[in-house]
Amino acid sequence: MSTIASELNLILLGPPGAGKGTQADRLREDFPLAYIATGDMLREARAQGTDLGAQAQEHMDRGDLVPDEVVIGIALERLSADDARDGFLLDGFPRTVPQADALSEEMANLGRRITAVLLVDVPDEEIVRRISGRRVSKAGRTYHVEYDPPKHPGRCDVDGTPLEQREDDKPEVVLARLKKYHQATSPLIDYYEKQGLLRHFDGSLPPVEVHDKIRATLATLRLEDEL
Ligand code: ADP
Ligand code: ADP
């Protein structure tokens, strides 16, 4: 039996459509981590018609990133909420070097540290195939019409709500998002590699295999932590 779990503060990094949300759904079943997905938070703000949603809208629809100061504000605020005290899973944040710097500074202020950055990588040509078949539930659970279908077509396995296609999952927007990823986000691979935090996963394997590999890595990290 393992001793009391040490805090897991994880970042999921990777291109749009690599499977970050899919792995997050599974990891949250394994570990009680606060899930912080800036894309979900921004979509929720839009659905509620808040100022934040209005600010984010045009950037998201074009496949651009929402400005750093806006995203940093919402992500860091969420990070200091009570339920994130014992560990968190960041999905889609940070996406730029200034965002990563802001996160490091906040972690230092809180006296905490990032446990690992999980890079889920997939070649560009696979991304378009994945995103065109992506369907999501209202609560943000992810499926694929072909690769990861729900038990009943068009309905979420967990809450039965209808599945939808995201507006920004249209092919022309996907290419813009992918370009942005290579320009602004992929430098974070080097950034976290240099800090010794990066763990690389082949996202072109089936979801269950990617999940198994991530779990094995996390088990090793926790053992190292206890030594
Ligand atoms: P994906 O499934 O492509 O990884 P997300 O749901 O994480 O997409 O994000 C959707 C959109 O929300 C992004 O294309 C971007 O416009 C905006 N967004 C989400 N997170 C960030 C962030 N950390 N910085 C800037 N923009 C963001
Ligand atoms: P991200 O959060 O990185 O944008 P998602 O988890 O939403 O990516 O995955 C994008 C699409 O690809 C979804 O429809 C999902 O069901 C599917 N998918 C995720 N992981 C895999 C995988 N390993 N193999 C095949 N399809 C996958």
Side-chain angles (χ1 to χ4, degrees):
M1 283 293 280
S2 66
T3 52
I4 296 170
S6 49
E7 176 180 313
L8 275 180
N9 298 322
L10 304 172
I11 297 175
L12 278 164
L13 183 65
K20 302 181 298 295
T22 300
Q23 294 306 319
D25 288 344
R26 287 159 174 72
L27 289 170
R28 288 158 68 200
E29 287 166 11
D30 302 333
F31 305 101
L33 300 170
Y35 178 51
I36 307 177
T38 41
D40 287 354
M41 292 164 83
L42 293 169
R43 276 186 291 279
E44 208 175 295
R46 288 180 61 168
Q48 290 174 351
T50 63
D51 284 351
L52 168 66
Q55 265 176 294
Q57 186 155 343
E58 58 175 304
H59 303 285
M60 294 174 81
D61 288 347
R62 274 202 310 262
D64 270 347
L65 295 181
V66 173
D68 282 338
E69 59 275 18
V70 175
V71 186
I72 289 170
I74 60 165
L76 297 191
E77 189 186 330
R78 180 69 187 80
L79 202 68
S80 43
D82 272 359
D83 71 320
R85 246 195 335 226
D86 298 328
F88 57 77
L89 178 59
L90 276 169
D91 174 358
F93 182 92
R95 257 180 159 99
T96 64
V97 170
Q99 290 180 21
D101 286 340
L103 174 64
S104 299
E105 200 178 309
E106 178 74 1
M107 293 299 280
N109 288 339
L110 295 170
R112 299 171 68 176
R113 63 181 183 86
I114 300 292
T115 316
V117 177
L118 314 172
L119 171 66
V120 181
D121 214 359
V122 169
D124 285 5
E125 51 283 11
E126 177 66 13
I127 299 287
V128 179
R129 212 175 359 239
R130 286 213 182 162
I131 291 190
S132 60
R134 167 156 65 186
R135 299 294 181 271
V136 287
S137 76
K138 273 257 174 322
R141 191 159 177 111
T142 305
Y143 299 87
H144 192 282
V145 288
E146 193 185 333
Y147 302 140
D148 193 11
K151 293 195 185 81
H152 304 285
R155 298 260 154 209
C156 177
D157 292 351
V158 178
D159 60 20
T161 56
L163 302 181
E164 290 173 357
Q165 183 163 33
R166 275 168 46 179
E167 271 299 311
D168 60 345
D169 278 355
K170 287 180 260 167
E172 58 283 12
V173 185
V174 173
L175 294 180
R177 285 160 62 200
L178 207 49
K179 196 166 155 202
K180 245 329 197 262
Y181 172 78
H182 289 297
Q183 273 173 2
T185 308
S186 66
L188 294 183
I189 297 174
D190 229 34
Y191 180 102
Y192 286 118
E193 185 105 74
K194 286 197 177 109
Q195 297 182 22
L197 291 174
L198 198 80
R199 299 289 182 279
H200 192 283
F201 299 91
D202 178 0
S204 45
L205 297 170
V208 64
E209 286 183 38
V210 181
H211 179 217
D212 284 347
K213 288 186 190 299
I214 293 179
R215 269 201 312 198
T217 297
L218 294 181
T220 313
L221 282 172
R222 296 181 118 191
L223 280 177
E224 282 169 3
D225 228 40
E226 282 167 18
L227 290 177

